[in-house]
Amino acid sequence: MALRPPDDDLQIPSERPKKQPKIAVTAEKQQPDYGVNDENKPPQATADASVDYIPSENLKPIADPEAEVRGLIEGLESKDWVKVCESLNDARRFALYHSILLLPILDRVMLVTAKAMKNPRSALCKTSIMTSSDIFTAFGDKLLEPSTSDAFDELLLQLLLKASQDKRFVCEEADNAVKAMVESMTPLPLLRKLKTYVSHSNLRIRAKAAISISRCVSKLEPEGMKEFGLVSLIQTAAELLNDRLPEAREAARAIVASVYEALTENEEEKQEEWQSFCQSNLPAIHAQAMIKLVS
């Protein structure tokens, strides 16, 4: 009987290693400008430590504005997000202290500011929103002129979107910017811009637009409301009164109260004239709701 050799002496023929199948790996596209922060969260201290959120009252004039303004657009369009934030703060300083120098390139500055609001990096998003506030404060109605009107429309849309975010970090800053816009502009032309958004498919944008409209209306004298159109205002309010969000409905009630007061100065005839006005310009069900609001 043959003896079995010890295991150490066994000669096992080497097996040829199987060829591993090739796995296609798609490299993720690097986006160095975006970083890891989410626009809806407060900036992480480690990532955004180099960015200062400077209140408007703490901004200082630029020492040599004529020289600095020539490189402003280049800085705003930089691939380095920190450089963009610095340039946005410079744009704020130009707006507040050297607005004449900023005016020729204001439309480009506004477009870059609106673009920065779309960036997922929270520091860049917040700084751009703060920039829009200072631009509103500095230029007011100039933003509605033909040379800047299109850029203003883009900026307004982005602000309404940011004001509609769930996260407080973005929403509060955007709300402040929208308030600054309403405070710094003549209400009548701004109303015409805002009115298009009360029919927006996004219910939160509708609500934010409604709040701004009610603020504009509250600033108007009766003649201003009549110039804009009492019928248009009451129809807008009727539309918002049935909106899903309570903020939109509350804004609608404020608009109704303003229109009611502007309709006539005769207190004895006001209720009767209001009833006739609503019934003439609204469907019966909406007219009845409006009449009850002020009765």
Side-chain angles (χ1 to χ4, degrees), residues 19-197:
K19 189 176 182 180
Q20 296 297 317
K22 292 182 178 180
I23 300 176
V25 179
T26 304
E28 291 187 2
K29 185 179 180 181
Q30 298 298 314
Q31 296 181 331
D33 292 348
Y34 283 65
V36 295
N37 281 353
D38 189 299
E39 66 176 352
N40 293 329
K41 297 178 182 178
Q44 298 177 11
T46 55
D48 294 335
S50 56
V51 175
D52 293 324
Y53 301 110
I54 308 170
S56 299
E57 57 271 20
N58 292 343
L59 289 167
K60 303 298 182 185
I62 295 172
D64 188 359
E66 290 82 2
E68 292 292 329
V69 75
R70 290 194 288 270
L72 182 61
I73 293 297
E74 182 181 352
L76 290 170
E77 295 177 343
S78 172
K79 298 295 184 183
D80 181 349
W81 68 269
V82 175
K83 177 63 175 176
V84 177
C85 285
E86 292 172 353
S87 298
L88 284 168
N89 279 328
D90 285 342
R92 298 172 64 199
R93 296 162 72 195
F94 272 109
L96 296 176
Y97 296 106
H98 318 284
S99 58
I100 293 177
L101 293 174
L102 192 62
L103 190 57
I105 57 171
L106 184 56
D107 58 332
R108 294 180 66 187
V109 171
M110 292 167 67
L111 288 173
V112 175
T113 302
K115 181 180 178 181
M117 287 185 201
K118 304 175 187 178
N119 196 303
R121 183 175 283 279
S122 55
L124 197 48
C125 182
K126 178 169 181 175
T127 306
S128 63
I129 294 172
M130 295 172 75
T131 303
S132 68
S133 293
D134 291 326
I135 287 174
F136 295 146
T137 300
F139 292 99
D141 290 345
K142 286 187 176 67
L143 302 178
L144 303 177
E145 294 177 357
S147 60
T148 51
S149 180
D150 290 344
F152 172 78
D153 289 343
E154 179 64 24
L155 198 61
L156 174 58
L157 174 59
Q158 290 306 315
L159 278 174
L160 291 174
L161 284 167
K162 296 306 173 187
S164 304
Q165 295 288 315
D166 289 326
K167 299 299 181 179
R168 184 175 299 175
F169 172 67
V170 171
C171 184
E172 287 184 349
E173 198 64 51
D175 275 337
N176 290 335
V178 174
K179 287 178 184 176
M181 175 188 70
V182 174
E183 290 170 1
S184 62
M185 293 184 176
T186 304
L188 193 56
L190 184 57
L191 267 175
R192 297 188 177 104
K193 292 282 190 181
L194 289 166
K195 188 177 183 298
T196 60
Y197 293 102

Side-chain angles (χ1 to χ4, degrees), residues 266-279:
N266 190 327
E267 292 298 326
E268 295 180 356
E269 299 177 357
K270 183 166 293 212
Q271 188 63 39
E272 183 179 344
E273 189 167 344
W274 175 250
Q275 182 173 337
S276 175
F277 175 74
C278 292
Q279 290 173 342

